[in-house]
Amino acid sequence: MALVIAAIVLVLAIVLRPQPLPEAQALPANHRSIETAQLRPAAAFATITDPAVRSVALFEEAGRVIQHPRCMNCHPRTDRPTQTDAMRPHMPWVTRGPDNAGAATLRCTTCHHDANFAASGVPGNPKWKLAPIEMAWQGKTLGQICRQILDPARAHMGRDQLLQHMAKDELVGWAWHPGGKRTPAPGTQAEFGALIDAWLKTGARCPA
């Protein structure tokens, strides 16, 4: 009997002895890698000898930024902005208001602050607002947009101001630093500005 009891105690001691905890392992990352598409530099078009043809080619390359959702969402065809890469109507429902910065009862700055807010995913910039309705781009061809931005009555700016807006404006620059899972505009703002500058200097010709 004593041997049986001893055997039971030994088995229990083996079964119930403390077990070492498994080593902690890092969870696999679940973040989508967001890559910025490249822009061809202005110098890449120098081999096009005809200035008019080169000008159109430069604007078509710049058009990859102009027609990107990061820019198109702020140039809607109606008084309601769009959002996301799919350019869905803005939710919650908002309108541009008399100064393109929202209605009196719901200003853009109610939700969009001076910087992107990572916790909620809401984008931000101190100048957050829509482009004037005269500069609606959605639903238009690149050629139509080109002629539109060259018209001071619709663009509300001359060519020097246009270059400054494209190359230096901080709200335009947000398109390359949109935060969250948003796809940035192609290239960089400096590269985009250089394309616009070269386009203007070659006669600012527009695609058909």
Side-chain angles (χ1 to χ4, degrees):
M1 179 63 72
L3 290 176
V4 172
I5 293 174
I8 293 173
V9 171
L10 178 61
V11 169
L12 289 175
I14 293 173
V15 171
L16 298 177
R17 76 182 189 279
Q19 299 292 324
L21 293 174
E23 293 184 6
Q25 296 181 347
L27 292 174
N30 193 30
H31 299 295
R32 179 172 63 91
S33 177
I34 299 176
E35 296 183 1
T36 303
Q38 301 300 307
L39 279 176
R40 294 173 65 192
F45 300 87
T47 56
I48 303 176
T49 56
D50 186 328
V53 176
R54 184 163 70 251
S55 188
V56 170
L58 286 161
F59 191 79
E60 287 176 339
E61 186 66 14
R64 295 177 55 214
V65 173
I66 291 169
Q67 293 186 303
H68 192 275
R70 295 291 77 74
C71 295
M72 283 288 194
N73 281 334
C74 292
H75 287 260
R77 71 178 91 187
T78 69
D79 288 338
R80 186 179 181 184
T82 56
Q83 57 188 175
T84 76
D85 286 1
M87 295 169 56
R88 295 193 294 265
H90 191 288
M91 289 298 293
W93 193 94
V94 294
T95 187
R96 71 170 60 248
D99 62 350
N100 305 304
T105 53
L106 186 58
R107 304 291 288 166
C108 294
T109 52
T110 303
C111 299
H112 299 281
H113 300 154
D114 287 352
N116 297 334
F117 188 52
S120 65
V122 176
N125 182 274
K127 296 182 178 180
W128 199 269
K129 63 190 302 185
L130 291 180
I133 191 63
E134 297 88 352
M135 282 299 289
W137 291 353
Q138 292 183 18
K140 297 184 178 180
T141 67
L142 187 60
Q144 290 172 326
I145 295 172
C146 179
R147 290 181 282 277
Q148 187 178 27
I149 65 177
L150 288 173
D151 181 359
R154 290 184 287 174
H156 302 286
M157 59 183 73
R159 295 191 179 191
D160 289 344
Q161 293 170 307
L162 174 64
L163 177 59
Q164 177 69 21
H165 177 69
M166 298 294 203
K168 301 292 184 182
D169 188 273
E170 61 185 291
L171 182 54
V172 174
W174 173 89
W176 288 273
H177 308 282
K181 296 182 179 180
R182 303 174 190 89
T183 306
T188 67
Q189 186 173 20
E191 292 169 342
F192 175 60
L195 287 167
I196 295 296
D197 186 34
W199 167 65
L200 291 170
K201 288 177 177 175
T202 51
R205 299 298 184 93
C206 293

